[in-house]
Amino acid sequence: MASANGFLGNRVVRAGILLGTLGTSMVLGALTAGWSMVCAGNQCPSVDVLELYQPRQTSKLYAVDGRFLAELGLERRTVARLQDIPPLVQNAFVYTEDKRFYSHNGIDFIRVFGSVVANVIRGGYAQGFSTITMQLARNIFPERLERAKSVVRKMREGKVALAIERKYSKQKILELYLNQIYLGNGAYGVESAAQRYFGKTVRELNLAEAALLAALPKAPNRYNPRVEPDRAVQRRNTVLELLREQHVINDADASLAKAYPLQLAQRTETGDVAPYFVEWIRKQLDEQFGRQLYEQGLKVYTTLDIDMQLAAERAMENQLRSIEGGKLGPYKNLTYEQHLARSADDERNASGVTPYLQGAFVAMDPRTGGIRAMIGGRDYADSKFNRATQALRQPGSTFKPIVYSDAIQSGHTTAEALDDSPLSVPQSGGGTWSPQNYDGRSMGYIPLRRALYLSRNQATVRLGMSLGEESVAAMARRFGLSTPMPEYPSLHIGAADVYPLEMVAAYTVFASGGIRTRPTGIVRVENSKGEVLWEPAPVRTAVLSTAEAWLMTDILRDVVRRGTAARAVAGLKVPAGGKTGTTNDGADVWFIGFTPDLVAGVWMGLDRPRTIMRNAQGGDLAAPAWTAFMTEVYRRRPLSVDFAGPGGLLAVPVDRLTGLRAGPLCPAERVYIDYFVQGTEPTQECDGTIMGPMGDSTRVDPIFELPAGPAPKARRPPSDTANPFRLP
């Protein structure tokens, strides 16, 4: 009986072995047939293309001083030669991703067996077996080697890897891999990742940093040190332990590197500065170069000054937070912090409209048009809508200098009297429009100069109407404003919508002696060989004569010296001029100002226009941000040039209340020196009375009186032969 059972058992064992052998043979036969057929019909890519393969490279943007600014491309990548990648970095990747890289021929069969066993034991996919060569194959040919986890894909991947290994050296394969691999945070390749995470080249990485990069291919998003720093450090230390176990590094180096703190680069070093400016530049480059921009690694030298950009961001954000914090009066709108706390994604629409107080800032060189700083909003991640270049807002009183420039060019003088009394303007649809001054009062007859620096609406509307809306609109176009200028009287006090960038650029006319300069952000573009592909020339247009520009500049300097911005700009230690602006409903506040070598403008408001706060004024809300910016800028650098003198103009003592020539009976405290184009100076003398130009009594509001002082003596204006702003 026992013998029969033994015989039966032996037969079962032999049958099992036979079936197992047959099954294994069938599986191997199927795999062999599949291996031979997996690339049939040109289903696998040819590896010959790697001979001349060049990974797509990003174009690099550089600031005006040559510092790295940003990258533009479908994949952020900078190609590095293998000899420029330290052995430390190479070994970190090799021993983490594929420790038998130098001994296998594209497929690590030891790892394949281990992976199969692990997956069978766990009853599903638990461990992969991709080598560096296999990873390279699917990264270079993603459209031919699909990402789905399947036996067919793995077989194709392996076959392509074998073909790569037969044709290319290990050094070539490793170089391609280290330049192709995705390492999170938008970085492709070790050079780009080193810059993005540490603000340095791959040659400068230490052991801890090299290990961190080698930790990322496993799961770039999961181990992103900017998002998950603790998890990234833990994974980095695992890599260091692998290197220690493989005797790539010793125990002391491993321990020291594990204790090394995570030190990520600041955004000024990693290409996260001035995102609104970068996107503005990208659109221009896209129009000029198309796909070349995103694939061929162009070098773009821009006009941006990183230090000025950061100064502008600090100045504007500090002022916006002061407003929201109630330091300038009760603020009842939603604040930026409240918006973040609510995570109010549903409050924004597709155009990027936000519910909290926003701002825009532009600074530019008035001679070249080079943009030195640009802010299009408070949070680019929250809203990519660029309020500096895309928003249409009413400029309020910042438009008035255009009206007064038209007047000066038409023969009006800075001392002639304007009527700042109430008026009603008939409207085409019936009824009347009655513009009001911001203080609700009228000043009677006042000199043109004073009407502008005190920003009197009623006097300005009368002046603009005398010139004609068509004439003022034409002057606005000469100043570079491209938006429609409705020919209604409200145009004269800034009722037409403008782009903030164009409104700021208009003030280059005053800073550069009558020449408007078109804003630009690009100095030149080079290809990867250093050959210049594009070098835009500055575009400058004469708008005012030197004399006319000097008169306007001098009035706008009065805005800062004694006008609507005097309090906000009092601490600035360099010569400056500018103009405040506020819309009637307090929905937009502005200050645009200039020094001899810099023009800058601030706008603040809500994306859906509504009153910012009660009694909102550009001089209180916007001008302090401008002053903080300029103060920081000129604390670091000296003023390069001063305003030119009033060459060719006559200096005449004038009564500041009536605009008449100061005679012997004119009170000394009312006399100042004003300047005139020859033949336009006043001839009638002040006799001490306060009379308007038509003989009627002129009311004088003492709140606007200046401190008494000795009468200045008339002097001959300096020569303008050295005027750097004079046109040839």
Side-chain angles (χ1 to χ4, degrees):
M1 187 70 177
S3 176
N5 288 338
F7 177 74
L8 182 61
N10 288 336
R11 290 184 66 182
V12 170
V13 169
R14 286 197 297 271
I17 293 173
L18 181 62
L19 289 173
T21 301
L22 180 61
T24 301
S25 298
M26 292 176 66
V27 170
L28 289 175
L31 289 175
T32 301
W35 181 258
S36 63
M37 296 295 294
V38 74
C39 287
N42 196 31
Q43 295 188 67
C44 291
S46 170
V47 301
D48 292 340
V49 299
L50 298 185
E51 191 70 50
L52 300 175
Y53 177 72
Q54 283 293 324
R56 288 184 297 194
Q57 297 192 63
T58 53
S59 292
K60 305 293 187 299
L61 270 62
Y62 299 95
V64 70
D65 60 358
R67 281 187 283 175
F68 174 69
L69 180 61
E71 293 178 275
L72 300 175
L74 302 176
E75 298 175 352
R76 289 179 172 175
R77 178 186 288 107
T78 301
V79 174
R81 298 177 303 172
L82 190 64
Q83 56 263 41
D84 294 329
I85 302 174
L88 185 69
V89 177
Q90 297 180 36
N91 289 334
F93 277 87
V94 167
Y95 285 95
T96 301
E97 290 295 306
D98 185 4
K99 63 183 179 182
R100 283 178 287 274
F101 170 70
Y102 289 107
S103 60
H104 64 63
N105 62 351
I107 300 176
D108 185 349
F109 288 101
I110 297 175
R111 193 171 174 186
V112 171
F113 178 77
S115 174
V116 170
V117 172
N119 293 340
V120 169
I121 292 173
R122 298 191 185 183
Y125 184 84
Q127 181 178 315
F129 55 83
S130 290
T131 62
I132 281 177
T133 316
M134 293 170 71
Q135 291 182 53
L136 175 64
R138 68 169 176 261
N139 284 330
I140 289 185
F141 306 112
E143 66 284 352
R144 303 292 300 277
L145 301 173
E146 70 277 4
R147 292 280 180 176
K149 293 181 175 66
S150 69
V151 174
V152 173
R153 191 266 286 176
K154 275 295 183 183
M155 292 175 70
R156 286 178 181 159
E157 196 177 279
K159 201 154 190 176
V160 173
L162 291 175
I164 291 174
E165 292 268 358
R166 284 195 298 268
K167 189 171 182 64
Y168 302 103
S169 68
K170 290 288 186 180
Q171 289 71 28
K172 174 72 172 178
I173 293 168
L174 185 59
E175 179 179 273
L176 286 170
Y177 170 80
L178 292 175
N179 281 298
Q180 192 73 22
I181 190 71
Y182 179 60
L183 296 171
N185 203 37
Y188 289 80
V190 293
E191 181 65 42
S192 181
Q195 181 68 51
R196 294 287 291 169
Y197 290 119
F198 306 114
K200 57 178 70 172
T201 68
V202 69
R203 294 190 302 273
E204 301 170 306
L205 296 180
N206 59 37
L207 174 59
E209 293 164 343
L212 181 62
L213 293 191
L216 295 174
K218 182 179 178 66
N221 294 327
R222 176 178 173 79
Y223 298 117
N224 184 338
R226 293 197 179 278
V227 180
E228 299 286 352
D230 294 338
R231 189 179 288 166
V233 169
Q234 184 178 10
R235 172 67 180 161
R236 177 200 71 182
N237 291 347
T238 299
V239 170
L240 289 167
E241 184 61 23
L242 287 173
L243 297 177
R244 187 192 66 78
E245 291 174 356
Q246 297 295 322
H247 306 293
V248 178
I249 59 176
N250 58 39
D251 293 348
D253 288 341
S255 298
L256 188 63
K258 288 179 182 179
Y260 190 78
L262 182 63
Q263 296 180 343
L264 300 178
Q266 298 296 317
R267 64 192 186 95
T268 54
E269 303 170 302
T270 62
D272 290 324
V273 180
Y276 291 100
F277 173 81
V278 170
E279 176 60 14
W280 181 61
I281 293 295
R282 186 200 66 79
K283 291 179 179 178
Q284 298 174 52
L285 294 170
D286 184 83
E287 292 179 2
Q288 186 75 17
F289 296 103
R291 288 177 60 90
Q292 187 180 1
L293 172 67
Y294 307 109
E295 298 178 354
Q296 296 186 13
L298 305 181
K299 294 180 179 179
V300 183
Y301 296 91
T302 76
T303 63
L304 191 92
D305 185 306
I306 291 178
D307 294 329
M308 286 193 194
Q309 175 71 27
L310 298 178
E313 291 175 3
R314 283 189 290 269
M316 193 180 80
E317 186 60 27
N318 288 342
Q319 183 65 9
L320 288 168
R321 289 181 181 270
S322 294
I323 296 169
E324 291 178 333
K327 295 181 180 180
L328 300 172
Y331 180 78
K332 298 181 180 180
N333 293 305
L334 186 72
T335 70
Y336 176 59
E337 293 296 337
Q338 290 169 339
H339 169 74
L340 293 182
R342 293 181 183 182
S343 299
D345 291 335
D346 57 333
E347 295 187 40
R348 302 194 311 274
N349 62 29
S351 65
V353 174
T354 60
Y356 50 86
L357 187 61
Q358 279 287 0
F361 192 106
V362 174
M364 59 186 293
D365 184 321
R367 291 165 187 77
T368 66
I371 298 295
R372 300 297 185 224
M374 176 184 284
I375 303 172
R378 298 178 71 174
D379 186 341
Y380 187 75
D382 192 38
S383 171
K384 294 177 173 54
F385 180 70
N386 191 335
R387 292 152 190 86
T389 63
Q390 296 175 293
L392 285 169
R393 306 297 296 218
Q394 291 186 356
S397 294
T398 59
F399 185 84
K400 288 176 181 175
I402 295 176
V403 179
Y404 285 77
S405 293
D406 193 29
I408 293 295
Q409 196 168 76
S410 299
H412 292 259
T413 71
T414 58
E416 74 175 71
L418 299 182
D419 186 0
D420 186 52
S421 61
L423 77 158
S424 293
V425 181
Q427 294 182 302
S428 58
T432 58
W433 171 62
S434 299
Q436 302 295 313
N437 289 318
Y438 69 91
D439 57 2
R441 292 180 288 189
S442 301
M443 295 179 65
Y445 284 101
I446 56 173
L448 179 147
R449 171 186 291 271
R450 199 174 185 202
L452 179 53
Y453 76 69
L454 292 179
S455 200
R456 309 306 290 173
N457 286 342
Q458 292 166 342
T460 302
V461 170
R462 278 195 173 89
L463 176 63
M465 290 175 66
S466 72
L467 297 167
E469 286 73 44
E470 184 177 348
S471 177
V472 172
M475 179 61 77
R477 287 189 286 273
R478 292 179 60 194
F479 267 79
L481 303 184
S482 64
T483 51
M485 295 287 142
E487 295 177 4
Y488 300 111
S490 58
L491 168 68
H492 309 308
I493 54 175
D497 289 336
V498 298
Y499 294 110
L501 176 61
E502 291 183 352
M503 196 68 233
V504 174
Y507 278 59
T508 60
V509 173
F510 309 123
S512 59
I515 309 300
R516 174 176 59 84
T517 312
R518 182 188 298 172
T520 183
I522 299 171
V523 176
R524 71 182 183 279
V525 179
E526 298 177 355
N527 62 18
S528 58
K529 298 178 182 178
E531 299 166 341
V532 176
L533 304 179
W534 190 31
E535 193 169 9
V539 179
R540 308 181 76 224
T541 305
V543 177
L544 302 176
S545 70
T546 303
E548 293 160 353
W550 188 91
L551 289 171
M552 284 302 305
T553 297
D554 197 48
I555 300 175
L556 293 174
R557 293 184 69 183
D558 274 347
V559 173
V560 170
R561 291 183 289 217
R562 57 180 62 88
T564 55
R567 181 172 56 193
V569 189
L572 190 63
K573 304 301 182 184
V574 295
K579 187 68 189 73
T580 55
T582 310
T583 54
N584 283 341
D585 55 2
D588 300 270
V589 293
W590 299 72
F591 184 75
I592 305 175
F594 55 92
T595 65
D597 61 2
L598 193 62
V599 174
V602 185
W603 165 86
M604 294 176 182
L606 292 121
D607 284 344
R608 292 188 176 94
R610 62 180 180 271
T611 302
I612 298 172
M613 60 192 300
R614 187 173 177 271
N615 294 324
Q617 296 292 332
D620 296 327
L621 303 188
W626 183 92
T627 304
F629 166 76
M630 286 292 187
T631 300
E632 183 172 343
V633 167
Y634 287 109
R635 187 184 297 130
R636 293 197 188 101
R637 68 172 203 180
L639 188 66
S640 62
V641 64
D642 200 351
F643 288 115
L649 296 173
L650 295 178
V652 179
V654 176
D655 175 21
R656 74 172 69 254
L657 296 185
T658 63
L660 302 178
R661 180 188 287 268
L665 300 178
C666 196
E669 66 273 12
R670 283 166 36 186
V671 178
Y672 75 103
I673 299 297
D674 212 332
Y675 297 87
F676 303 86
V677 176
Q678 190 164 6
T680 66
E681 68 274 16
T683 56
Q684 182 180 352
E685 288 190 350
C686 157
D687 59 5
T689 60
I690 305 174
M691 299 295 291
M694 303 303 293
D696 53 336
S697 176
T698 301
R699 180 174 61 79
V700 178
D701 192 333
I703 192 173
F704 295 109
E705 286 300 311
L706 296 175
K713 295 181 180 180
R715 56 186 173 85
R716 292 190 62 80
S719 169
D720 69 347
T721 54
N723 183 355
F725 309 138
R726 168 168 279 193
L727 286 174

